[in-house]
Amino acid sequence: MLKILVIGSGGREHAIAKKFLDSKKVEQVYVAKGNAGMKRDGIDLVDIAENDHESLIKFAKKKQISWTFVGPEIPLLNGIVDDFITAGLKIFAPSKAAAMIEGSKSFAKEIMNKYNVPTAKYQTFFDFSKAKSYVKRKGVPIVIKKDGLAAGKGVVVAFTIEEALGALSDMLKKNQFGEGVSCVVVEEFLEGEEFSLLSFVKDKKIYPMVIAQDHKQAYDNDKGPNTGGMGAYSPVPQISQEVIDEAFERIVKPVVIGMEQDSASFTGILYAGLIATKKGPKVIEFNARFGDPEAQVVLPRLTSDLGQIIDDLLNDKEPVITWREDGITLGVVITAQGYPQNCKKGMPVPTKFNDSKITPYYAGVNCDEKGELVASGGRIFLLCTTADNVKIAQKKIYDELDKQSLDGFFYRKDIGYKAIE
Ligand code: AMP
Ligand code: GLY
């Protein structure tokens, strides 16, 4: 039987850990640090910080953990995989070198260029005045991205020159989007439907998952600032199998094989963020991990055993990966009021739901002195359900949310709207 350690503390890690617990091969699932909401599902929390690799390694050895699974990107870029492997421990996630596909937009663009992977045309700038003349020459709409990690918040899609120059100034002069590499990528605006194609990857072997669509903007009708993600659904009926196959052949495969050839071999979950343009699918970003909230809607559709799949991949065995084919799985994120800026905290978080077919995945929650869940900021929880079609799924979730008292919370009312014919 397997004992698994999951690193992370959000809704994504809740969904991953819960799926591991469903596995016939899995005896125990620990999450470091996890969150208080996960305990309700029998997940064991470990009070060790994500960046304390030494203590995590000690814990894994002491508890005889079979292997570790990493949820978020920051530990990957801090080299948690390299440290675990050096300590003789098994871990399913990319090395620091491979995680640069997410950590550095310019690194990702170089790989795409080298292997002819379709992506938006771009230029990298360190200098404000050079960037400014480029943007003026190219015109709008145009996309300005801060290099380095910014949790989805380092991207500005500018529809006016003023907006574009403002973003360049914030990023290159004021460094408003966080410390790190002081360079920006100025990118061609891609028009089309967005979708996320995630794959299980072990070196050269790639197993694509069912696709999902996230809703990055904070408000209805895709208005407002970019966030970590306000809701998602899977599959995405308006994206054809032909487009998915093309994305796999022309994007995912050459990148994975190219990384292997270039000594940055990728093991873990590779997330391709794509836009289906009139000229075929093109890349907007790669992530080196599951998406949040994509994991919460993709994993419930997996009908084979996640624990067995990862164990097989780590042991170079052929995994059995099967997906539910009917219906649609939809998840709505409930945030604290104020998200993505200053968030309200301390509100009681619902734990009792009227509809037994709705699953909660918790994220920004703590336990108060009475043992009740309270909001601790950011994205608080996600409600997920599977139904015959997107309209029924929406109705189930939004009816349930109407019945809950959600003072101090906020959520989008239109998750899945693009999937309605
Ligand atoms: P990223 O952090 O690169 O995923 O970007 C965040 C969001 O900005 C994406 O989910 C898209 O909605 C949007 N975006 C990023 N790059 C582009 C692009 N080149 N063209 C159009 N929209 C983009
Ligand atoms: N949902 C987008 C991400 O996880 O990056």
Side-chain angles (χ1 to χ4, degrees):
M1 293 293 277
L2 301 170
K3 281 191 197 171
I4 298 172
L5 171 62
V6 177
I7 309 292
S9 59
R12 164 184 50 208
E13 289 75 24
H14 190 171
I16 294 166
K18 192 166 175 187
K19 200 72 186 173
F20 280 144
L21 265 187
D22 288 345
S23 164
K24 287 195 198 74
K25 273 203 92 165
V26 173
E27 179 186 337
Q28 201 161 12
V29 179
Y30 295 97
V31 185
K33 282 187 162 191
N35 68 63
M38 296 179 184
K39 282 204 277 194
R40 309 179 62 81
D41 283 323
I43 295 160
D44 288 303
L45 304 190
V46 183
D47 191 18
I48 304 174
E50 260 167 43
N51 60 3
D52 185 355
H53 300 180
E54 202 182 314
S55 303
L56 288 169
I57 287 169
K58 253 193 208 153
F59 175 85
K61 286 188 171 166
K62 188 167 139 221
K63 295 287 183 185
Q64 296 183 307
I65 295 294
S66 318
W67 39 260
T68 297
F69 188 101
V70 186
E73 62 278 20
I74 291 171
L76 301 175
L77 290 152
N78 282 338
I80 193 169
V81 169
D82 311 67
D83 290 348
F84 268 58
I85 289 173
T86 305
L89 294 171
K90 284 189 176 175
I91 184 161
F92 188 79
S95 66
K96 186 174 175 174
M100 289 308 279
I101 190 88
E102 167 163 11
S104 162
K105 292 207 191 279
S106 41
F107 174 84
K109 289 287 192 188
E110 272 166 37
I111 292 185
M112 287 188 267
N113 256 5
K114 185 167 174 191
Y115 297 101
N116 288 321
V117 170
T119 184
K121 292 194 194 78
Y122 75 102
Q123 286 250 9
T124 305
F125 294 95
F126 290 87
D127 179 76
F128 176 74
S129 59
K130 283 190 184 139
K132 184 175 158 185
S133 22
Y134 180 80
V135 163
K136 282 191 162 168
R137 199 167 70 243
K138 288 283 170 189
V140 286
I142 199 156
V143 183
I144 319 278
K145 299 185 177 187
K146 172 106 187 150
D147 205 7
L149 289 178
K153 293 164 202 150
V155 175
V156 174
V157 181
F159 290 93
T160 65
I161 289 284
E162 291 68 40
E163 238 182 307
L165 298 184
L168 282 180
S169 159
D170 286 346
M171 291 182 200
L172 280 173
K173 285 183 168 173
K174 299 185 198 146
N175 211 4
Q176 233 189 42
F177 289 80
E179 296 302 319
V181 192
S182 54
C183 109
V184 297
V185 174
V186 179
E187 201 173 87
E188 167 198 9
F189 174 75
L190 297 178
E191 205 173 340
E193 188 100 9
E194 211 170 318
F195 66 104
S196 311
L197 170 58
L198 285 76
S199 306
F200 296 100
V201 179
K202 174 74 198 304
D203 302 322
K204 269 191 288 191
K205 293 204 155 185
I206 321 165
Y207 306 87
M209 303 188 202
V210 56
I211 64 167
Q213 187 176 65
D214 187 11
H215 299 60
K216 295 248 170 71
Q217 286 87 358
Y219 312 132
D220 285 7
N221 295 313
D222 297 330
K223 298 278 185 298
N226 265 319
T227 69
M230 296 297 289
Y233 61 98
S234 170
V236 187
Q238 64 277 33
I239 302 284
S240 68
Q241 191 56 45
E242 200 186 340
V243 169
I244 300 171
D245 292 345
E246 189 181 344
F248 184 72
E249 290 300 326
R250 295 196 53 207
I251 294 170
V252 182
K253 239 185 184 173
V255 163
V256 169
I257 291 167
M259 288 180 81
E260 220 253 344
Q261 279 167 10
D262 292 353
S263 315
S265 185
F266 192 100
T267 287
I269 308 295
L270 182 66
Y271 167 134
L274 307 168
I275 290 195
T277 72
K278 284 194 183 119
K279 290 186 182 155
K282 294 191 181 183
V283 177
I284 46 174
E285 64 164 349
F286 279 106
N287 292 322
R289 51 169 174 83
F290 264 116
D292 186 341
E294 285 91 335
Q296 294 93 310
V297 296
V298 167
L299 286 175
R301 301 193 65 80
L302 182 69
T303 46
S304 52
D305 185 319
L306 185 64
Q308 182 76 58
I309 292 171
I310 305 298
D311 202 57
D312 286 344
L313 288 170
L314 281 169
N315 291 304
D316 288 317
K317 289 192 196 144
E318 201 53 36
V320 175
I321 305 177
T322 54
W323 302 95
R324 182 173 173 159
E325 298 206 342
D326 64 318
I328 198 152
T329 304
L330 181 106
V332 176
V333 172
I334 293 87
T335 71
Q337 236 168 40
Y339 180 78
Q341 275 92 33
N342 297 327
C343 290
K344 222 177 134 100
K345 290 182 186 169
M347 305 82 80
V349 174
T351 53
K352 293 195 178 69
F353 301 97
N354 303 285
D355 187 336
S356 61
K357 298 230 169 81
I358 286 182
T359 310
Y361 294 111
Y362 291 101
V365 297
N366 274 333
C367 248
D368 68 6
E369 57 287 354
K370 286 185 250 144
E372 306 288 338
L373 289 190
V374 291
S376 63
R379 293 188 283 183
I380 309 299
F381 66 106
L382 170 144
L383 290 190
C384 173
T385 199
T386 299
D388 287 346
N389 63 49
V390 73
K391 273 197 173 160
I392 303 173
Q394 282 180 326
K395 183 160 170 31
K396 275 157 83 87
I397 303 264
Y398 288 119
D399 281 355
E400 180 67 53
L401 287 168
D402 280 344
K403 290 181 193 143
Q404 301 286 340
S405 62
L406 290 168
D407 280 350
F409 292 92
F410 173 79
Y411 56 90
R412 271 180 68 158
K413 310 282 190 298
D414 66 344
I415 300 305
Y417 78 96
K418 286 186 189 159
I420 296 169
E421 287 96 63

